Amino acid sequence: MHLPVTEYQGTSLGCQRPQLLPGVTTLKCEPPEPHQEVAQEVSGPAPQGPAPPQEENPRDQAAVPGFNSARSQTSVKTEEAAAQGLVPEQWPHLSLAQRNLCGNSAQEKVTNISLMPEEVVTKDGLFNTKQETSEEMERGAEVSGIPNRDWVPQAPCSTPVPAERTVAHLNTLKDRHPADLWARMHISSLEYAAGDITRKGRKKDKARVSELLQGLAFSGDSDVEEDDEPETQPAPKRPKVSSVPEKNWTKRDIKPNFPSWSALDSGLLNLKSEKLNPVELFELFFDDETFNLIVSETNNYASQKNVNLEVTVQEMRCVLGVLLLSGLVRRPKRGMYWEMSDADQNLVRDSIRRDRFELIFSYLHFADNSHLDQNDKFTKLRPLIKQMNKNFLLYAPLEEYYCFDKTMCECFDSDQFLNGKPIRIGYKVWCGTTAQGYLVWFEPYQEESTVMAGKDLDLGLGGNLVMNFADVLLERGHYPYHLCFDSFFTSVKLMSALKKKGVRATGTIRENRTEKCPLMSAEHMKKMQKGYFDFRVEENDEIILCHWHGDGIISLCSNAVGIEPVNEICCFADDKEIPQISQPSIVKLYDECREGVAKMEQIISKYRVRIRGKKWYSVLVSYMIDVAMSNAWHLHRACNPGASLELGDFRRDVAHFYLAHNANMSD
């Protein structure tokens, strides 16, 4: 039996989709005339002669065009060939293809009984149709007096074929061939739908059937399954194989191979021999080159605004002196520094006029607006930032331990927030300091896409910032520096990358960055006594991970410091002192070196510049002035360990010098 898929273009002949049941086959055709239908039921030998015509309801006539618009016909053919077709006189108006279809269909055994839902193949796809039985429709038409429009003429059959034999033969063919072969043998193309389908014709149409099958989507209930050809099947998923080898963790102490620290700070020795005063120490950072840069860009910006400013270096030093004094003497508004009559205010009033100060401060500029980098958020401050970083690094004390962390520059107009800091709202700044709080390098926070350009993506934002700071330190010489940072930056990959550069590092680490290290879980360690610790060492890179139960559960990672020697310290639990608990060496070193940025923040917060401009970057300029003063005071204490000034007195000396010695007496 063959199931052809047929589409007729431009014809009014419509046929219903046949449904197969065990033991029965059905052929339904509808005559083209909307006012006349012929119905005949055949069981056993077909009677001769056409059935009497029936009148059709006008409502059914209106539904005929929509029914015929489906333009699809499916006919079921047995392999028995016998009987004569319908005479052409019965349908004189049919086309040749339609006559051939009805003539060939007359050889089938036809019954008019109930049909089950079956999948029907059309050109646009596969869908299920549910039809009512012909007997029920016939009875409904007789009761209502309205002829059923689904009644079709039944072709006479000369040789009856037992239905059981036909279905059994179909099932045998289906079981004998695979699904794809079954579909190819029993679904013909549109080209052969109106004529006899022979084996020779099927072979010729093999390519067309393949094309048809590829465009069909068969449901799970269909007897025709999907094509099993390799080109139509999706490629099997391959398991992901990581290019990074798995870490090999062993429970033992680390064996670092870094050289010991033996560097001598010759720069600090030279500063001690020169015996510099506070002003000279401050001008190590705000040197003549820096002042000339500020004066040049300020005059350039004023000329672009058609303002003849003509500011000088002497006036710029007076402006800086007023800003330094605002951190010592606080006033509600800046005009009061010229109104009050005390020693400090008289010094301000004698050094520069208020209107001149306001004019210079409003046009204060640090970069050429015609040569700005649009990808850099801080491009208007970039020349000053580079100059300050160069001077900070040049005169920085050469120490073994450095701290890298983030801080905040106070600004209430910013949308950046940093929890756990004295200043939580402002501009976030990445800072690298010594263990005592001397700022070596800083960089304002920008979007990750700007910072990560040309960097190692595996290290992330924090890892690349630490690598940048390590490169800055190595510019002074290849010494075994030791960096400390928190869990935002730490990862096993970062420790390995720093070790390749010859830089030691220690930091806290998050649980999701431990590279599947089999350490005891934090929940389990909380049940242990205080002082308990667990550790593992990675065999390939010689990196140690340690969990320690102190005031809380602390996870540390290092490429240079291990467990030994273990110290005994005091600890408090529930307001009770525990006299002796164990503390690994890695925990002790991290506690001593991680406070560098916090010490710098504490020093800056004591005397902060209070005069703010209207430009968004004025707070960052004030921040750089405060940091330069903090670094100068660090050098002052290092050069004069027994006779150093307090920070307030040190700042006052610099401010008074700029106001007194740079006053324009002619003005």
Side-chain angles (χ1 to χ4, degrees), residues 240-299:
K240 294 183 179 180
V241 179
S242 177
S243 59
V244 180
E246 294 185 0
K247 303 296 183 180
N248 185 14
W249 299 98
T250 306
K251 188 167 185 178
R252 62 172 178 84
D253 200 2
I254 193 175
K255 298 176 182 179
N257 54 359
F258 291 96
S260 59
W261 180 265
S262 59
L264 182 63
D265 191 359
S266 59
L268 185 61
L269 295 177
N270 294 333
L271 292 177
K272 288 181 179 181
S273 62
E274 293 178 5
K275 296 181 180 180
L276 302 177
N277 57 38
V279 177
E280 294 172 340
L281 289 173
F282 180 76
E283 288 185 347
L284 292 176
F285 312 112
F286 272 86
D287 53 3
D288 293 338
E289 184 180 358
T290 305
F291 276 112
N292 291 331
L293 171 67
I294 299 174
V295 170
S296 175
E297 296 299 339
T298 301
N299 289 329

Side-chain angles (χ1 to χ4, degrees), residues 552-623:
I553 306 300
I554 302 176
S555 301
L556 294 167
C557 180
S558 178
N559 60 7
V561 184
I563 304 300
E564 299 295 336
V566 178
N567 305 311
E568 299 294 332
I569 62 171
C570 297
C571 184
F572 291 89
D574 299 332
D575 297 334
K576 295 181 181 179
E577 182 179 357
I578 302 176
Q580 299 292 330
I581 67 170
S582 300
Q583 184 188 44
S585 179
I586 183 176
V587 180
K588 179 181 178 181
L589 184 140
Y590 180 76
D591 288 342
E592 293 174 353
C593 302
R594 66 187 177 92
E595 298 295 336
V597 176
K599 291 179 180 179
M600 181 198 68
E601 291 176 346
Q602 183 180 8
I603 295 172
I604 292 176
S605 62
K606 292 181 178 180
Y607 306 101
R608 200 185 304 273
V609 174
R610 297 297 173 181
I611 295 179
R612 303 290 175 85
K614 294 182 179 180
K615 293 183 172 60
W616 63 269
Y617 52 80
S618 64
V619 293
L620 289 171
V621 176
S622 302
Y623 176 81

Side-chain angles (χ1 to χ4, degrees), residues 46-67:
Q48 302 294 330
Q54 296 180 4
E55 294 184 358
E56 186 175 1
N57 193 298
R59 183 179 61 182
D60 296 331
Q61 294 179 4
V64 170
F67 174 77

Side-chain angles (χ1 to χ4, degrees), residues 11-32:
T11 178
S12 60
L13 179 61
C15 295
Q16 292 185 348
R17 304 172 181 85
Q19 309 288 329
L20 296 183
L21 274 177
V24 296
T25 56
T26 304
L27 172 66
K28 288 188 179 182
C29 295
E30 183 175 337

